[in-house]
Amino acid sequence: MIPRTRIRNIGISAHIDSGKTTLSERILFYTGRIHAIEEVRGGGKGATMDFMPEEKLHGITITSAATTCQWHDTEINLIDTPGHVDFTIEVERALRVLDGAVMVLCAVAGVQSQSITVDRQMKRYRVPRLAFINKMDRTGADPFRVVQGIRDRLQLNAVLLQYPIGSEDQFQGVIDLVEMTADYFEGENGENWEKKSIPEPLRDEAQQARDKLLDTLSLFSESMTEMLLAGEEIPKELIWETIRQATLSLEFTPVLLGSAFKNKGVQNLLDAVTLYLPSPVDREVKGIGYRLQGTDNSLSSITCNLSPDPDASLVALAFKLTVESFGQLTYTRIYSGMLKPGDTVYNSRTEQRVQIGRLVRMHANKREEVKVAVAGDIVAMLGVDCASGDTFCSGEPLVSLEKMFVPEPVITLAITPKKQEDSDRLSKALNRFQREDPTFRLSIDPESGATLISGMGELHLEIYLERIQREYNAEVYVGTPAVAYRETIGQQATFDYRFKKQSGGPGQYAHITGWIEPTDEPFVFENRVVGGAIPKEYIPACEKGFREAMQSGKLQGYPVTGVKVVLDGGSYHPIDSSELAFRSASHQAIEGAIAKAKPYILEPIMLVEVETPNEFMGRVQGDLSSRRGLLLGSETMQGYTVIRAEVSLARMFGYSTELRSLTSGMATFTMEFACYRQS
């Protein structure tokens, strides 16, 4: 068994087309996991981690793929995640279970819109990261500008650990500022890693860069500060340890350079992963434990600190699942204890016993049988019926781990099977996709009876439509895209509602008072009832009624958001009051209050980032303005301009076709949800 300190669970995340999958392919090659390099685009078999037909067709990563490889004496569990914002849930659930991450940035484009989203996700789960500036061979590469962008736009304390030897088509290698050696990568695939003396013309620049690195690191090490003041040489072991500790505390972001496509700098990155990113032992993981107590078997909760000890009680999190012909494949992170085929464990959400069948370790879409999985491992369980986010444990206390953040869908399509025989196939496909992807939602239009699918963007739903036809041989008619609007309130409003029914025998009675007001949160409930005006056992029913009322607004039936409900009083009847009565009263009270609170419609606003050759900049800005877009600014680089704007989603349908027409097919754009704003 590999020591837990020699395991790294890492993800590779970035803006689309920054070279994540190309980098993953090189990592697998240099660690000996594969023996030939395939490219994302190139007419061959395609990159190892992009195994879906849709990924090969579109040339992008759609679903996160896991693998395991070995670098020297360290085992690396690697997850390659998508860069397109429509598949951001794949990044979200990967970062939820990983200990560290590599953020890849393009040496030309620098910090882009999805870079900001990925940074926000890493910060949400407090994941330490390295930054890798890729594509140093491209025209316009400027790593120093990218580092400044990381500092300014992401607010990270980013410092280069390397200095480039040339750039653009003259990029030859990197200078290691810790060991002060020049690293070159020779051979057909850069497999011959050679360390030489620093070229004479670059020695002064490299020394200045090293001095800047040591000056920054001295803030995290008293020993280093004392040695610098005394003019002593700093040993590399002290530098490595200081970088590691500052990275683990999220106070420092090491930055490395390279070109994955040109096979340069990847081995340095692997060394940095083993030196600076955390092992399972370095990460503090907490869970909520539940125990039965008392004669009424009520639940009491405690906070549990989980230990990555194979001999401790089992705690594992199911973070992703796929449904295949043989059953469900559940990707699982083991946080504590040990798991073996044949074990019986508890699902803490359902409080049901589950027997584990087969365990496998994934290599993209290939499976390798596992006899035992221990704390720190990422494996997949076959045939276990559960939901994404479920916690498995070996007994009391029943531990529940933090759930992952799931963004709300912003676009909806109506679909109808073309033929009767397509109906059953479509139903199976939609149920499977909804189970696998928390951002893919399924509903029925109450007026037309049409099936509605909702997702994160046009490409997101387009991929699922392709899979319906390819995997299930079902053909569908597709309706016009619809925007996921919301409703909210503009002012405070009170409610004083009495629910009373009498129809022979016990009646129903509930009386509640309080008010609603606007808030920045989707929904907030505050209980201010005192003196037993409403018995405490009815308060949860009140909250449930309030939440139910938020599902459909009074203006056009869209879900209501941004409402705080304060319950401050009421009355009850000792015989006629019930949970159902208070739930009904709450539902109807809020409906009336919302009508008085000046409700209005919210529409989703998208952050749009367009990368266009300079000669088309005026056309692109003019088109965005014609869509009533708010131009946020632009950044001109060598030969092209990046334009950022906020535009209503309703005005962005079909934009890709229009942009191609405006720029002779030379511009690209990305779009992600920014906020809801008054329509």
Side-chain angles (χ1 to χ4, degrees):
M1 183 186 299
I2 294 178
R4 303 298 89 188
T5 55
R6 303 311 306 166
I7 291 178
R8 299 292 181 270
N9 293 313
I10 67 166
I12 298 183
S13 304
H15 184 91
I16 189 171
D17 207 27
S18 294
K20 297 178 312 305
T21 303
T22 301
L23 176 61
S24 298
E25 189 79 358
R26 269 60 181 181
I27 288 174
L28 295 179
F29 178 76
Y30 296 130
T31 57
R33 197 67 172 81
I34 60 175
H35 303 292
I37 294 174
E38 296 286 348
E39 302 300 346
V40 175
R41 302 178 180 90
K45 293 188 296 183
T48 305
M49 304 297 270
D50 283 354
F51 55 84
M52 291 177 62
E54 287 78 14
E55 291 176 319
K56 299 181 188 300
L57 175 65
H58 292 272
I60 61 171
T61 301
I62 292 170
T63 183
S64 57
T67 189
T68 301
C69 54
Q70 193 95 8
W71 182 245
H72 302 319
D73 62 345
T74 300
E75 179 181 282
I76 299 175
N77 294 314
L78 172 70
I79 298 182
D80 177 32
T81 64
H84 197 289
V85 68
D86 282 14
F87 311 103
T88 190
I89 187 61
E90 295 288 331
V91 187
E92 193 79 36
R93 53 188 172 189
L95 290 175
R96 168 63 186 83
V97 299
L98 292 171
D99 299 321
V102 176
M103 173 184 278
V104 183
L105 300 122
C106 174
V108 181
V111 176
Q112 298 170 273
S113 59
Q114 189 65 2
S115 310
I116 297 172
T117 302
V118 167
D119 171 69
R120 187 165 58 242
Q121 292 169 318
M122 291 179 181
K123 288 174 179 173
R124 178 179 294 132
Y125 300 113
R126 296 187 59 78
V127 177
R129 95 284 294 273
L130 305 172
F132 181 71
I133 300 178
N134 193 25
K135 301 192 176 184
M136 281 294 298
D137 58 301
R138 275 189 57 187
T139 301
D142 186 349
F144 308 107
R145 178 180 51 79
V146 177
V147 171
Q148 193 58 48
I150 297 173
R151 298 177 71 89
D152 294 342
R153 298 188 67 186
L154 304 183
Q155 301 297 302
L156 296 173
N157 186 16
V159 180
L160 282 166
L161 302 190
Q162 298 169 333
Y163 196 85
I165 303 175
S167 65
E168 301 181 343
D169 60 347
Q170 298 300 310
F171 179 64
Q172 300 174 48
V174 296
I175 296 171
D176 185 331
L177 298 178
V178 178
E179 300 192 45
M180 290 303 280
T181 58
D183 293 359
Y184 297 91
F185 307 90
E186 308 296 341
E188 183 180 351
N189 294 306
E191 62 271 28
N192 300 327
W193 181 12
E194 299 182 5
K195 290 181 174 288
K196 301 179 181 180
S197 59
I198 299 172
E200 185 65 36
L202 294 177
R203 285 186 179 176
D204 289 344
E205 295 173 34
Q207 187 59 52
Q208 291 174 14
R210 175 183 167 88
D211 292 342
K212 179 179 179 181
L213 171 64
L214 295 181
D215 184 55
T216 302
L217 290 175
S218 66
L219 299 174
F220 307 104
S221 170
E222 291 184 6
S223 299
M224 189 179 294
T225 301
E226 292 170 0
M227 296 179 74
L228 285 173
L229 292 174
E232 299 176 17
E233 182 65 26
I234 311 294
K236 62 184 181 183
E237 291 79 11
L238 177 58
I239 300 176
W240 287 336
E241 181 58 24
T242 303
I243 293 174
R244 174 176 170 77
Q245 293 305 322
T247 302
L248 297 190
S249 66
L250 306 179
E251 298 176 284
F252 183 79
T253 302
V255 183
L256 295 97
L257 309 171
S259 168
F261 185 67
K262 296 294 185 180
N263 309 309
K264 299 183 188 299
V266 179
Q267 294 96 321
N268 297 84
L269 178 64
L270 284 165
D271 269 0
V273 165
T274 62
L275 282 170
Y276 309 132
L277 290 183
S279 71
V281 175
D282 298 311
R283 295 278 280 161
E284 183 181 85
V285 180
K286 295 182 181 293
I288 303 297
Y290 298 91
R291 280 194 173 97
L292 296 174
Q293 67 175 18
T295 56
D296 60 349
N297 282 336
S298 60
L299 285 175
S300 66
S301 63
I302 56 172
T303 301
C304 303
N305 292 313
L306 304 184
S307 167
D309 181 356
D311 296 324
S313 297
L314 172 74
V315 178
L317 180 70
F319 66 94
K320 175 183 174 176
L321 56 89
T322 59
V323 180
E324 303 186 4
S325 56
F326 58 80
Q328 182 170 300
L329 183 70
T330 306
Y331 290 75
T332 307
R333 163 71 191 266
I334 314 294
Y335 283 99
S336 176
M338 184 181 297
L339 186 65
K340 301 189 295 293
D343 284 354
T344 299
V345 298
Y346 286 90
N347 182 324
S348 62
R349 177 181 63 86
T350 63
E351 299 183 24
Q352 299 294 315
R353 289 174 177 264
V354 177
Q355 185 166 26
I356 306 301
R358 293 167 57 200
L359 289 177
V360 295
R361 195 183 297 276
M362 301 302 296
H363 174 53
N365 61 336
K366 298 181 175 62
R367 304 176 185 85
E368 300 165 354
E369 293 287 336
V370 173
K371 297 300 182 186
V372 60
V374 298
D377 286 346
I378 295 177
V379 295
M381 304 183 295
L382 275 70
V384 173
D385 186 20
C386 68
S388 180
D390 282 358
T391 304
F392 294 95
C393 49
S394 55
E396 281 203 16
L398 293 177
V399 178
S400 180
L401 294 172
E402 175 193 4
K403 298 291 191 292
M404 68 194 76
F405 171 78
V406 179
E408 289 295 314
V410 296
I411 184 173
T412 298
L413 293 176
I415 59 173
T416 308
K418 285 187 175 181
K419 295 174 288 193
Q420 182 61 40
E421 53 265 34
D422 291 328
S423 183
D424 287 344
R425 299 173 194 157
L426 176 62
S427 178
K428 289 179 182 178
L430 296 180
N431 288 330
R432 171 190 169 184
F433 298 154
Q434 184 177 225
R435 191 177 177 87
E436 292 181 349
D437 183 351
T439 61
F440 179 82
R441 307 286 174 84
L442 181 63
S443 59
I444 302 295
D445 187 325
E447 293 184 5
S448 67
T451 298
L452 305 178
I453 57 173
S454 302
M456 301 304 297
E458 288 183 280
L459 180 61
H460 187 207
L461 297 184
E462 179 186 327
I463 294 297
Y464 278 118
L465 292 173
E466 290 177 9
R467 291 183 64 187
I468 287 170
Q469 185 164 9
R470 177 179 63 83
E471 296 178 26
Y472 290 88
N473 196 29
E475 296 186 354
V476 297
Y477 295 108
V478 181
T480 305
V483 177
Y485 291 99
R486 295 288 185 269
E487 297 183 20
T488 192
I489 58 174
Q491 67 179 31
Q492 187 183 92
T494 60
F495 56 86
D496 184 344
Y497 188 84
R498 198 180 304 270
F499 180 77
K500 190 175 182 180
K501 282 190 176 181
Q502 191 72 44
S503 57
Q508 294 186 50
Y509 178 87
H511 174 216
I512 60 171
T513 63
W515 70 89
I516 61 173
E517 60 188 36
T519 181
D520 293 333
E521 300 295 321
F523 174 80
V524 176
F525 170 66
E526 185 175 333
N527 175 26
R528 293 191 185 179
V529 177
V530 295
I534 300 175
K536 63 180 182 180
E537 60 264 29
Y538 295 146
I539 300 299
C542 293
E543 181 178 359
K544 190 169 186 178
F546 294 146
R547 289 184 179 275
E548 287 175 349
M550 300 294 157
Q551 300 303 309
S552 178
K554 301 298 289 182
L555 295 177
Q556 295 186 30
Y558 297 118
V560 181
T561 188
V563 176
K564 178 179 180 179
V565 181
V566 179
L567 179 66
D568 70 350
S571 61
Y572 72 102
H573 189 279
I575 297 175
D576 292 349
S577 289
S578 64
E579 289 187 5
L580 178 61
F582 274 96
R583 180 174 158 189
S584 299
S586 300
H587 191 132
Q588 295 177 41
I590 292 303
E591 285 188 341
I594 288 174
K596 298 187 296 181
K598 293 190 175 178
Y600 58 89
I601 301 292
L602 294 171
E603 64 176 337
I605 303 298
M606 311 303 287
L607 176 62
V608 180
E609 191 169 281
V610 183
E611 185 177 309
T612 177
N614 290 337
E615 62 264 33
F616 302 116
M617 182 180 72
R619 293 186 193 175
V620 172
Q621 287 180 326
D623 181 71
L624 290 172
S625 296
S626 72
R627 297 171 187 267
R628 288 172 51 194
L630 174 64
L631 297 176
L632 302 177
S634 62
E635 185 177 359
T636 301
M637 302 178 194
Q638 188 172 347
Y640 70 96
T641 300
V642 176
I643 303 168
R644 286 182 290 275
E646 288 184 347
V647 190
S648 163
L649 174 61
R651 297 178 179 274
M652 288 299 294
F653 293 130
Y655 182 64
S656 57
T657 302
E658 182 66 23
L659 184 64
R660 281 196 296 270
S661 175
L662 288 171
T663 63
S664 302
M666 299 173 68
T668 61
F669 83 102
T670 58
M671 180 173 70
E672 66 174 310
F673 174 74
C675 62
Y676 275 100
R677 195 173 292 158
Q678 186 167 1
S679 177

